[in-house]
Amino acid sequence: MSILNQKDSDQLKEFIETHKFFLIIGHKEPDGDCIASCLGLAAIVKHFDKPYQLISAGPFKRNEITEYLPLFTDKIEFLDNSDRQQTGLIITDCSELNRLGDIDFDFKGLDTFIIDHHKTSDIPPDSKGYINSSAPAASYIVQLFYESLIGPLPQELAKIIFFGICTDTGFFRFLDSSDTSADVFQACARLTSYGADPRQIYNKINNGKPWSTRKLLGVLLSRAERHLGGKLIITWETQEDTHKLGSEGRDSDALYQLLLSSRDVKAAVFLRQDTPSTCTGGFRSLDDVDVSVVAAKFGGGGHKNASGMSTEGRIDTLIPSIVKEFARIM
């Protein structure tokens, strides 16, 4: 059974029909799911013969999404009051304006439709949209909207949506035995029937990594420390590491896989010192450990088993605080 109903589809259709122009945007530092869901929504808007602009603050650090960079811009032309009243803002794979990144444009006040799947997301009182945290990827939701409003996806779009779903499901490793997971497999079977090639998409996601990322992976593994009786592993990247080994073509998924596959480990944390006073962090876990609870303590959020944060602080002072929060839930 689809997680969408007719009312959900009608709401998006009405939103598109009542605006003349659209800005379609996802979160900063986009991943495959963010990019794919943006492109899927652009295809829906295009079907209704409405002009649009694909927006992203970037940066496009992941080598598997760099081919899509020319389709996006971080520059938005000035809109007067009349233009703004006729413009619809579609946000996907996040729900907060502050996660859109550094773009020289005032999004506040635009009529907004949000499509997201993060547990910590919410639709603001003055916005419309659809959020379902049981959906493993925003791309999956966009696929269901497309099929409901238009029908079967064209081959190229099917490939992109399959790519987006695989990005956020770890090529289906994160799915369980729920009804929603069964529906996702059925949706992916339809994408395959439309022309998506699973083997080709797997290679696109996992191959072609820069050699520097292999070196960085070794550094991060050698630095990893165990906490809470071995149930938690934390590793980190310094500014010197970033300068020496670069920031492009990251392979955090491989890092988390290796850490979480260790005996007794229930959660893994990766921290990066972006500036002398700010850090970003990734949280991953197995089974019932809800890392979104910990991420929220540091101004972040996301899914139960996969969340992130961006916060003021230094790694050496953040680690004890993070361990303390994990001790509350493990």
Side-chain angles (χ1 to χ4, degrees):
M1 180 184 296
S2 173
I3 58 174
L4 285 184
N5 58 43
Q6 191 62 47
K7 182 179 178 181
D8 300 322
S9 299
D10 290 343
Q11 185 183 35
L12 178 57
K13 182 179 180 181
E14 180 182 3
F15 184 82
I16 295 173
E17 291 178 337
T18 54
H19 296 85
K20 291 187 176 180
F21 179 71
F22 295 88
L23 299 174
I24 302 172
I25 188 169
H27 57 77
K28 61 184 178 180
E29 294 195 21
D31 57 7
D33 185 38
C34 178
I35 294 301
S37 55
C38 284
L39 294 173
L41 287 164
I44 293 174
V45 170
K46 184 178 181 180
H47 174 82
F48 287 91
D49 294 321
K50 299 293 180 76
Y52 62 86
Q53 192 172 22
L54 285 164
I55 311 296
S56 178
F60 282 57
K61 292 183 177 181
R62 302 165 184 262
N63 65 298
E64 67 266 26
I65 64 170
T66 53
E67 67 179 281
Y68 303 113
L69 176 58
L71 302 177
F72 291 78
T73 181
D74 61 357
K75 303 291 190 299
I76 305 176
E77 293 185 11
F78 173 77
L79 301 177
D80 60 26
N81 288 334
S82 176
D83 294 331
R84 292 178 68 88
Q85 290 175 3
Q86 300 178 74
T87 297
L89 173 65
I90 302 180
I91 301 174
T92 186
D93 206 27
C94 74
S95 64
E96 306 87 6
L97 291 180
N98 62 4
R99 287 205 65 212
L100 301 183
D102 187 13
I103 296 176
D104 186 18
F105 185 82
D106 182 13
F107 292 105
K108 295 179 180 178
L110 287 179
D111 199 8
T112 302
F113 198 99
I114 294 168
I115 294 176
D116 195 16
H117 69 123
H118 292 96
K119 180 180 178 182
T120 53
S121 293
D122 195 13
I123 297 176
D126 56 347
S127 300
K128 306 174 184 65
Y130 179 85
I131 295 176
N132 192 322
S133 61
S134 71
S139 302
Y140 167 60
I141 298 174
V142 171
Q143 176 189 349
L144 298 181
F145 270 118
Y146 191 102
E147 291 173 324
S148 175
L149 294 173
I150 303 170
L153 280 67
Q155 183 178 20
E156 287 307 309
L157 182 59
K159 292 178 180 178
I160 291 169
I161 295 297
F162 195 105
F163 162 67
I165 293 173
C166 289
T167 297
D168 262 28
T169 63
F171 223 92
F172 312 115
R173 296 195 320 276
F174 307 144
L175 298 184
D176 53 24
S177 59
S178 67
D179 290 342
T180 299
S181 292
D183 290 340
V184 172
F185 278 111
Q186 292 174 4
C188 287
R190 294 195 300 275
L191 293 174
T192 303
S193 73
Y194 303 151
D197 185 331
R199 179 173 58 182
Q200 183 183 74
I201 292 168
Y202 179 88
N203 289 334
K204 176 180 178 178
I205 293 173
N206 292 285
N207 296 347
K209 306 293 185 183
W211 173 245
S212 61
T213 66
R214 309 299 91 183
K215 300 287 285 185
L216 179 60
L217 186 59
V219 171
L220 298 178
L221 289 173
S222 66
R223 191 176 286 156
E225 295 180 347
R226 300 168 72 190
H227 301 269
L228 304 178
K231 292 184 291 185
L232 172 67
I233 294 183
I234 299 179
T235 190
W236 64 91
E237 177 183 331
T238 67
Q239 287 183 275
E240 182 182 358
D241 295 329
T242 306
H243 177 74
K244 181 179 179 180
L245 297 171
S247 60
E248 307 300 319
R250 296 302 185 123
D251 195 11
S252 56
D253 188 50
L255 173 66
Y256 293 125
Q257 282 188 63
L258 289 168
L259 296 179
L260 289 174
S261 64
S262 302
R263 183 180 299 170
D264 298 326
V265 173
K266 298 296 183 182
V269 176
F270 165 62
L271 299 174
R272 183 174 69 232
Q273 192 77 51
D274 293 315
T275 72
S277 60
T278 61
C279 286
T280 53
F283 302 77
R284 297 294 186 273
S285 66
L286 302 174
D287 304 326
D288 295 328
V289 178
D290 189 347
V291 292
S292 70
V293 175
V294 178
K297 294 289 185 178
F298 299 90
H303 305 288
K304 175 182 176 182
N305 300 122
S307 292
M309 68 159 189
S310 182
T311 187
E312 298 286 331
R314 293 190 57 81
I315 288 172
D316 55 354
T317 57
L318 279 172
I319 288 178
S321 299
I322 290 171
V323 173
K324 181 179 178 180
E325 294 300 330
F326 269 100
R328 299 178 191 275
I329 64 171
M330 294 177 71

